Amino acid sequence: MFNVCGHCGMYTPEKEVLGNVAVCPFCGGETVFVRQPLFLLSGACGVGKTEVCRHLPALTQEVVALEGDILWESRYNSPENKYRPYREMWLRVCKNISQAGRPCLLCGCADPDQFEPCVERRYFSRLYYLALVAEPEVLAARLRSRPGWRESGSEDFIRQQIAYNQWFLEHHGDTAPPIDLLDNTNLSPEETARAVLGWIRDKLAEEL
């Protein structure tokens, strides 16, 4: 329970963070922690985020790849507050995992506007954002090829995802911080994972 103060036992994520020290607002007790960057992989459904999670562990032990949908429940479906409880929970999970000395890569549909205002954001040195994008006809073909139980082959759903894909293409530079893009139209899942790994390594080099 990283948010529980080891000095007074009080719980709060709203500690003052000074470098790699978290200061309890109740007693002033200081906790030294590992302050890692966090990598967030976004993009429309069908663009290949889950495949990156599957392939990345075989390529590197530098990061812990996590699929952002695995903890989803209907109670988190709150677009009115930009899914804030779900984002806070994932930041808390990644914060605790990263105490083992490796940063996390969180894969899911998100943008900086949903993560940067979170309380738990303060425990990371920086959040880096990358969106996978693809040509519309390729994205549509990927969605149609999915098993029927995923319900992603309807024309309405495909239109929604193509529009979301287009949003990244048009607005990736408008967010704070901006979102990097990786076009994987002509890349295999493994090639995409290798490209994502290259992006991660570049960002890790910036942290030094």
Side-chain angles (χ1 to χ4, degrees):
M1 294 292 290
F2 188 83
N3 288 342
V4 175
C5 176
H7 304 276
C8 69
M10 296 296 288
Y11 178 96
T12 180
E14 298 190 40
K15 297 178 172 68
E16 182 182 8
V17 174
L18 304 172
N20 65 338
V21 176
V23 182
C24 175
F26 298 104
C27 71
E30 297 184 353
T31 300
V32 177
F33 70 102
V34 180
R35 198 178 194 198
Q36 298 275 15
L38 176 62
F39 302 98
L40 295 115
L41 183 65
S42 193
C45 293
V47 82
K49 302 182 297 295
T50 298
E51 289 300 315
V52 170
C53 275
R54 288 176 179 157
H55 285 82
L56 202 58
L59 300 175
T60 184
Q61 296 298 305
E62 296 166 72
V63 294
V64 179
L66 299 166
E67 170 58 65
D69 291 337
I70 60 174
L71 299 179
W72 179 258
E73 296 178 5
S74 59
R75 62 193 173 105
Y76 293 119
N77 190 17
S78 56
E80 68 279 0
N81 62 13
K82 300 179 181 178
Y83 311 98
R84 181 68 173 268
Y86 197 62
R87 304 312 182 202
E88 293 280 9
M89 177 180 65
W90 264 118
L91 288 175
R92 188 162 60 252
V93 169
C94 292
K95 174 183 68 176
N96 279 271
I97 291 174
S98 66
Q99 297 312 294
R102 288 190 290 164
C104 295
L105 170 73
L106 181 61
C107 303
C109 298
D111 61 71
D113 201 33
Q114 297 179 11
F115 281 94
E116 296 296 329
C118 290
V119 172
E120 298 278 1
R121 161 66 181 85
R122 68 189 67 185
Y123 295 97
F124 299 91
S125 59
R126 185 171 173 183
L127 271 57
Y128 294 98
Y129 299 85
L130 176 67
L132 302 181
V133 293
E135 290 296 325
E137 63 274 13
V138 172
L139 182 59
R142 291 174 183 174
L143 290 170
R144 292 190 184 104
S145 69
R146 285 180 165 184
W149 68 266
R150 301 194 68 171
E151 299 180 347
S152 59
S154 73
E155 292 308 307
D156 184 55
F157 185 80
I158 290 172
R159 279 194 297 271
Q160 291 176 17
Q161 298 311 311
I162 288 176
Y164 191 36
N165 183 75
Q166 188 63 31
W167 182 89
F168 284 107
L169 290 168
E170 294 178 358
H171 299 288
H172 68 97
D174 301 334
T175 61
I179 303 169
D180 294 329
L181 296 183
L182 171 60
D183 189 329
N184 71 347
T185 297
N186 299 308
L187 300 180
S188 69
E190 183 174 350
E191 289 171 332
T192 299
R194 290 187 181 278
V196 171
L197 176 57
W199 172 79
I200 290 171
R201 286 173 172 167
D202 287 344
K203 299 305 181 184
L204 286 173
E206 293 179 12
E207 292 278 314
L208 299 177

